[in-house]
Amino acid sequence: MHAKVVRYFVEVVRAGSIRKAAEQLHVVPTAVNRQILNLEAELGAPLFERIHNKLKLTPVGEIVLAHARSTLREFDGVRQQIDAVRGLRQGEASLATTAGLASAFLPTVAQRCRAGYPGIYLKLIDMQITALLRAATEGDVDVALAYDVPDNAGLRTLFTSEWPIGAVVPPGHALSARASTTLADCVGFPLILPTASLTLRPILDGALGRSAISVAPVIETTSTALMRQLTRQGAGVSLLNRLDVSDDVRAGALVFVPLRDSGLSPQSLALVTRAGATLSAAAEVLVQQVIVCIEEAMVAS
């Protein structure tokens, strides 16, 4: 059986439900359910009895569970041997990113790297975009993660994703029930905006200018973490992208309402490294964890 199917199946047995297993695996419940259904279809027999919203293993499920646990034990042994060969018992990996991404995104990445590879030393640095790109180009850091990275012959792109911009409000706000909104609707409320030093602000200024909308924000800040906190407290409406607030939205603390203004492009998030660089095994682990977390946020959003 495929490693993912085995892992998902064992976690469902341990957790006792699809939803709880998905929470532990940090994926959406539909992804877990699809793996279980595919496995049942492949085996031609149900693995669980669903009784009063609880899952109980069938006799076939018991057989599969014994095999799955044995497979995972063997796989762990193989992985330990491979880790030793690749030097992942120790090693160092560095990543530079902006302050907003560092506060909203990197804690999960760091936690997973430490859990899977405790011997790796991580160096995570927040920088202004200019310094960040210079550090990546000159090889001072293994990789860099930033929005709207300009074309640069000295950098190689490892992964990109697109993140729409929207109004961020607390639950119950007048905008919170809308499927989408506009900048014109937002200016009727106190606005909390990023300063011009953040890559998002020129995008917003361009869209406001094209719509001939004049704004007078109540707060401007370089900290997207502060913007989220102020919005949770009801200080105003923030304009951010979906990834900036993904954790707060999942927790039910904030609501993201996409902006539908024409010409308002999403922000492009890029993971880059120095052109021609060969990443160490430790840096490869860090890169893969960053990509997995981004992809999960894309699915959840």
Side-chain angles (χ1 to χ4, degrees):
M1 289 183 289
H2 191 278
K4 180 184 289 187
V5 178
V6 172
R7 186 161 53 93
Y8 282 20
F9 172 71
V10 171
E11 187 59 38
V12 170
V13 174
R14 191 197 66 78
S17 77
I18 297 289
R19 181 183 59 80
K20 291 180 180 178
E23 292 175 355
Q24 292 300 314
L25 293 164
H26 304 288
V27 298
V28 293
T30 53
V32 178
N33 190 53
R34 182 169 59 251
Q35 293 289 343
I36 298 301
L37 291 176
N38 289 343
L39 181 56
E40 289 179 331
E42 182 178 346
L43 296 174
L47 300 174
F48 297 97
E49 292 178 333
R50 293 163 175 82
I51 303 173
H52 303 302
N53 295 324
K54 292 184 179 180
L55 298 180
K56 180 181 178 181
L57 282 171
T58 63
V60 171
E62 294 284 358
I63 295 171
V64 175
L65 178 61
H67 171 72
R69 285 174 170 165
S70 175
T71 299
L72 287 178
R73 285 194 297 270
E74 292 176 5
F75 183 74
D76 282 342
V78 171
R79 186 169 61 181
Q80 289 171 10
Q81 295 177 49
I82 293 173
D83 288 355
V85 170
R86 296 182 67 192
L88 294 183
R89 290 298 179 192
Q90 56 186 358
E92 179 177 326
S94 57
L95 181 149
T97 191
T98 58
L101 284 166
S103 64
F105 181 73
L106 286 189
T108 300
V109 173
Q111 182 182 28
R112 293 189 184 183
C113 285
R114 292 292 303 152
Y117 302 92
I120 292 179
Y121 166 70
L122 296 177
K123 189 174 183 180
L124 308 176
I125 314 161
D126 68 84
M127 297 179 171
Q128 292 287 339
I129 184 68
T130 303
L132 176 154
L133 295 176
R134 183 171 60 251
T137 303
E138 296 177 356
D140 293 335
V141 294
D142 293 312
V143 291
L145 183 69
Y147 292 115
D148 306 313
V149 175
D151 291 336
N152 187 326
L155 294 173
R156 173 167 60 96
T157 300
L158 302 173
F159 185 81
T160 60
S161 58
E162 301 291 317
W163 295 93
I165 299 167
V168 180
V169 297
H173 188 276
L175 297 177
S176 64
R178 298 188 183 187
S180 64
T181 190
T182 65
L183 288 168
D185 292 333
C186 294
V187 296
F189 302 94
L191 283 182
I192 304 169
L193 297 182
T195 63
S197 63
L198 301 187
T199 56
L200 177 56
R201 183 59 183 269
I203 297 174
L204 294 172
D205 286 345
L208 290 165
R210 286 189 296 273
S211 300
I213 298 173
S214 176
V215 299
V218 295
I219 298 171
E220 291 185 347
T221 176
T222 58
S223 171
T224 56
L226 179 57
M227 292 175 69
R228 299 195 310 271
Q229 182 177 353
L230 290 167
T231 304
R232 289 193 299 267
Q233 294 173 352
V237 174
S238 288
L239 300 180
L240 292 166
N241 75 49
R242 191 185 294 273
L243 181 60
D244 290 331
V245 295
S246 58
D247 287 344
D248 285 315
V249 170
R250 280 196 295 269
L254 290 173
V255 177
F256 178 87
V257 186
L259 289 167
R260 62 176 184 270
D261 297 78
S262 61
L264 184 61
S265 301
Q267 283 197 280
S268 177
L269 180 67
L271 181 65
V272 298
T273 188
R274 180 174 60 85
T278 299
L279 294 177
S280 67
E284 288 281 7
V285 167
L286 177 58
V287 165
Q288 290 306 311
Q289 289 300 329
V290 170
I291 292 173
V292 167
C293 287
I294 293 173
E295 288 178 334
E296 289 178 358
M298 293 172 70
V299 172
S301 64

